Amino acid sequence: MGAPPGYRPSAWVHLLHQLPRADFQLRPVPSGFAPQEQEYQQALLLVAALAGLGLGLSLIFIAVYLIRFCCCRPPEPPGSKSPTPGGGCVTWSCIVALLVGCTGIGIGFYGNSETSDGVSQLSSALLHANHTLSTIDHLVLETVERLGEAVRTELTTLEEVLEPRTELVAAARGAQLQAEVVAQQLQGLAFWQGVPLSPLQVAEDVSFMEEYRWLAYVLLLLLELLVCLFTLLGLAKQSKWLVIVMTVMSLLVLVLSWGSMGLEAATAVGLSDFCSNPDPYILNLTQEETGLSSDILSYYFLCNQAVSNPFQQRLSLSQRALASIHSQLLGMERGAVRQFPSAQKPLLSLEETLNVTEGNFHQLVALLHCRGLHKDYGAALRGLCEDALEGLLFLLLFSLLSAGALATALCSLPQAWALFPPSDDYDDTDDDDPFNPQESKRFVQWQSSI
């Protein structure tokens, strides 16, 4: 099958497509794209479930680590103010983890933008294809209406005017028959007319879903960015309450990161299966949704020399009929204008209609060629299988870095706030403030000395 112009499956598509797949019973599943089959759906769900397994293991590891930290920590001597050994290492490990998380956030913003660009390219290709199909329908309708009007008015008037000349009447009737042939053949060119599947509706649905997907990821990225920044602020100011709140928020973002990782992994694997060989699935799906013949769909989706133009016969018949009408009008103009001056006006009107019809016919020939729609098909595949898939992989990397950084931070933060001095809640109070406990204590001592 011929690949669309400019599209070749990328190395990432080949790599992801070669990954093994299995259903819930761990039986191997073919990597061909078949979303309607239960085994393939189970294979993608199993890929997403791996992220759930990773989340469970992360939570177990964090819980075991914190329990060990709380229960196995040696007791401090009373009145000891010496810093805990390794305290600085714990704080710096938390800071480094949060900085890695910020780096992942930057990667996530880039991946979200790439995915959005790919989906926008898909929507633009669908809109351009819809414009082409609508233009074909419009040109066919306009031309058929013009020819029908010409048959009902000008050619009927010519028959009445040229009635004394039987050979001219026969020419007028012949032109009428040829005009009906052209109209009949042209009606069969509007192949998308009445089809329930609308590229415009598909483009609008895709754009609608993409807007919400893009917004959801932006909110997730901003949430994690705020968690990282406020956690760093709490560590810098040694504010225990801020670090505790950010620890709880880090746990929430950790769950969201693993969840998004599962969705991204399953989507990337399914998209790679589709992009490795998209033609068969697209052909079958479009034929089911539209009811069009496989000859027409193969011509536009494959567009190679092995597939002939299914409209070539209609175009050839229409072209011959238009040439016949032109010659008949020329013969009537030479033999009837001098003898029947009243025939000049309908003949001029017919010539104008014929010129417009020939212009529309040449536009139809160009639009019906497979190059235009096949180019839109290639642009849609490039947007989906290159930019969108690349963006998904960057989002997957963001989720992985985010999950690792937040898991490290959750292990380090409780140790970090345990190292904070017990008076951190009063760091920001003024020394002259009478409500400051230290100042109140000095005031009581001053009173007793008096």
Side-chain angles (χ1 to χ4, degrees):
M1 291 187 176
Y7 171 72
R8 293 291 185 276
S10 65
W12 286 112
V13 170
H14 288 298
L15 178 62
L16 293 173
H17 185 62
Q18 297 301 322
L19 294 177
R21 291 153 179 73
D23 58 10
F24 290 162
Q25 286 76 35
L26 300 182
R27 295 174 300 190
V29 175
S31 57
F33 187 68
Q36 71 281 0
E37 296 182 4
Q38 184 177 5
E39 292 80 6
Y40 188 80
Q41 296 173 2
Q42 291 180 0
L44 294 184
L45 288 175
L46 194 61
V47 172
L50 293 177
L53 179 62
L55 173 61
L57 293 176
S58 298
L59 294 178
I60 292 173
F61 174 78
I62 294 171
V64 171
Y65 185 88
L66 294 181
I67 290 173
R68 180 179 176 277
F69 167 72
C70 295
C71 300
C72 303
R73 185 174 55 175
E76 295 182 1
S80 175
K81 294 185 179 180
S82 61
T84 304
C89 180
V90 169
T91 303
W92 277 108
S93 65
C94 183
I95 293 174
V96 170
L98 292 173
L99 292 178
V100 171
C102 292
T103 303
I105 292 171
I107 295 174
F109 274 110
Y110 176 76
N112 196 35
S113 176
E114 280 292 298
T115 304
S116 181
D117 291 342
V119 176
S120 298
Q121 189 173 349
L122 169 63
S123 300
S124 299
L126 288 171
L127 291 175
H128 192 269
N130 182 78
H131 175 72
T132 300
L133 296 171
S134 301
T135 304
I136 292 173
D137 293 342
H138 174 72
L139 287 174
V140 169
L141 180 62
E142 179 187 357
T143 306
V144 170
E145 288 181 351
R146 278 182 173 273
L147 289 174
E149 184 69 20
V151 169
R152 289 191 301 269
T153 56
E154 284 87 356
L155 287 174
T156 304
T157 302
L158 279 177
E159 286 187 31
E160 296 173 355
V161 172
L162 303 176
E163 188 175 359
R165 298 278 300 272
T166 55
E167 72 279 7
L168 296 179
V169 172
R173 289 177 179 174
Q176 181 177 349
L177 290 175
Q178 294 299 325
E180 292 174 354
V181 169
V182 173
Q184 182 181 2
Q185 296 300 324
L186 290 180
Q187 285 177 344
L189 299 179
F191 65 95
W192 204 264
Q193 192 173 13
V195 171
L197 180 64
S198 171
L200 175 61
Q201 186 62 44
V202 175
E204 291 178 350
D205 293 341
V206 169
S207 299
F208 178 78
M209 291 186 292
E210 171 57 21
E211 288 179 1
Y212 282 95
R213 186 212 63 81
W214 179 85
L215 180 61
Y217 266 100
V218 167
L219 293 177
L220 176 61
L221 291 164
L222 291 178
L223 176 62
E224 183 171 351
L225 180 61
L226 290 176
V227 168
C228 291
L229 293 179
F230 277 104
T231 304
L232 291 173
L233 178 64
L235 291 173
K237 295 182 67 66
Q238 296 189 345
S239 176
K240 185 176 293 186
W241 69 269
L242 184 57
V243 172
I244 292 175
V245 171
M246 289 302 106
T247 302
V248 176
M249 294 298 298
S250 298
L251 182 62
L252 172 63
V253 178
L254 176 67
V255 175
L256 294 177
S257 297
W258 279 107
S260 65
M261 189 188 304
L263 291 175
E264 292 150 9
T267 304
V269 170
L271 192 56
S272 68
D273 293 339
F274 167 78
C275 296
S276 63
N277 189 16
D279 294 339
Y281 179 77
I282 291 293
L283 279 170
N284 294 331
L285 179 63
T286 310
Q287 189 171 12
E288 291 177 3
E289 295 292 334
T290 62
L292 295 174
S293 66
S294 59
D295 294 339
I296 295 177
L297 297 177
S298 298
Y299 175 68
Y300 286 109
F301 283 118
L302 305 183
C303 193
N304 54 32
Q305 296 179 354
V307 183
S308 60
N309 188 343
F311 305 110
Q312 188 59 48
Q313 184 177 2
R314 290 182 177 274
L315 293 173
S316 300
L317 290 175
S318 299
Q319 189 173 16
R320 286 197 294 267
L322 288 173
S324 177
I325 295 173
H326 187 74
S327 62
Q328 287 169 348
L329 288 180
L330 187 60
M332 284 189 289
E333 185 177 0
R334 289 176 180 175
V337 172
R338 292 181 182 179
Q339 187 177 357
F340 304 99
S342 58
Q344 185 174 6
K345 183 177 180 181
L347 282 173
L348 292 175
S349 179
L350 281 172
E351 288 181 359
E352 181 182 356
T353 300
L354 184 62
N355 292 333
V356 173
T357 301
E358 288 179 340
N360 290 346
F361 177 77
H362 291 306
Q363 290 187 52
L364 283 172
V365 170
L367 291 172
L368 287 169
H369 196 277
C370 65
R371 284 191 302 265
L373 290 174
H374 191 64
K375 185 178 179 181
D376 295 332
Y377 177 49
L381 286 181
R382 287 193 301 274
L384 191 62
C385 299
E386 293 178 4
D387 293 343
L389 181 59
E390 181 184 350
L392 271 177
L393 294 177
F394 276 110
L395 288 174
L396 187 61
L397 178 60
F398 147 72
S399 298
L400 186 61
L401 291 176
S402 173
L406 291 174
T408 305
L410 284 170
C411 291
S412 304
L413 284 175
Q415 299 183 62
W417 84 52
L419 301 174
F420 292 170
S423 60
D424 69 306
D425 292 335
Y426 307 104
D427 285 345
D428 295 334
T429 56
D430 191 359
D431 292 337
D432 297 331
D433 188 355
F435 296 100
N436 187 337
Q438 301 295 333
E439 184 64 25
S440 300
K441 185 177 179 180
R442 288 196 295 268
F443 180 73
V444 171
Q445 292 175 353
W446 177 74
Q447 277 191 333
S448 59
S449 66
I450 295 179

